[in-house]
Amino acid sequence: MKSEPDDVSFDDVLASPGQVTSWYGVRNYQARNFIRDGMKVGDGVLFYHSSCAVPGVAGLAEIVSAPYPDATQFDPKSPYYDPKATPEQPRWMGIDVKAVHQGRYVDLKELRSHPELEHMRLLAKGSRLSVMPVEPAEWRFIVKLIG
DNA sequence: GCCAACGTTGGC
DNA sequence: GCCAACGTTGGC
């Protein structure tokens, strides 16, 4: 899961009550589907910092809720407001994420240096989704790198 | 700030 | 349903 650290950093989540943050604002259908159809309590998360000086995996996190309608879609004052969404027919989903381990910051340059990770979806050309799956072998490899 | 990649929008 | 225009993402 990608977050802009200027918005919400891994440290911010660690400093939050219960080390839990509500993940909202996803407005891409493919990313929405990964949340809605692919995430469940206990799933591991690579918390990735994007659009910053040194992009990379900032820590390990975990899904701690089921997916639920992202409340910002109903709020006309929110930048994430979607006039076509209604509580009866929500369009966008959020989920709760808990920071569990910080370890070593593994930056994008290092990720790209490992042949084991060359097929990572995150590293694919043109990959822009803010939420995407990680293969089990890639997950295990990165967990070791983080330490 | 640039630009490639990609998604969405809207006229037809 | 096509596709050009436009907007966004995100690394550099």
Side-chain angles (χ1 to χ4, degrees):
Chain A
M1 301 180 86
K2 295 186 196 170
S3 182
E4 301 188 14
D6 290 346
D7 184 11
V8 180
S9 71
F10 193 75
D11 284 337
D12 292 336
V13 183
L14 283 174
S16 300
Q19 293 77 55
V20 173
T21 193
S22 175
W23 205 281
Y24 59 90
V26 170
R27 293 296 180 269
N28 171 285
Y29 288 104
Q30 227 182 325
R32 188 275 313 268
N33 293 348
F34 286 137
I35 293 174
R36 188 189 59 189
D37 308 331
M39 287 183 159
K40 58 183 192 305
V41 171
D43 284 350
V45 172
L46 298 176
F47 195 105
Y48 181 86
H49 283 178
S50 67
S51 292
C52 56
V54 186
V57 177
L60 301 179
E62 184 181 325
I63 298 300
V64 290
S65 80
Y68 51 81
D70 173 351
T72 62
Q73 70 192 302
F74 310 126
D75 177 3
K77 295 193 189 75
S78 169
Y80 300 112
Y81 178 59
D82 183 344
K84 292 180 180 166
T86 65
E88 294 73 29
Q89 294 261 303
R91 181 177 287 198
W92 306 110
M93 305 298 277
I95 203 161
D96 291 349
V97 175
K98 178 178 183 172
V100 295
H101 177 65
Q102 187 152 35
R104 184 170 71 85
Y105 191 92
V106 179
D107 69 21
L108 178 60
K109 190 183 289 185
E110 177 176 352
L111 292 172
R112 290 199 187 283
S113 76
H114 293 292
E116 292 88 342
L117 302 178
E118 67 179 333
H119 296 119
M120 262 194 101
R121 190 158 185 156
L122 172 73
L123 305 180
K125 189 182 172 91
S127 168
R128 298 187 310 176
L129 292 177
S130 59
V131 178
M132 67 189 95
V134 177
E135 293 303 316
E138 296 163 350
W139 166 265
R140 290 190 297 268
F141 188 82
I142 292 173
V143 166
K144 280 185 195 165
L145 290 181
I146 290 172

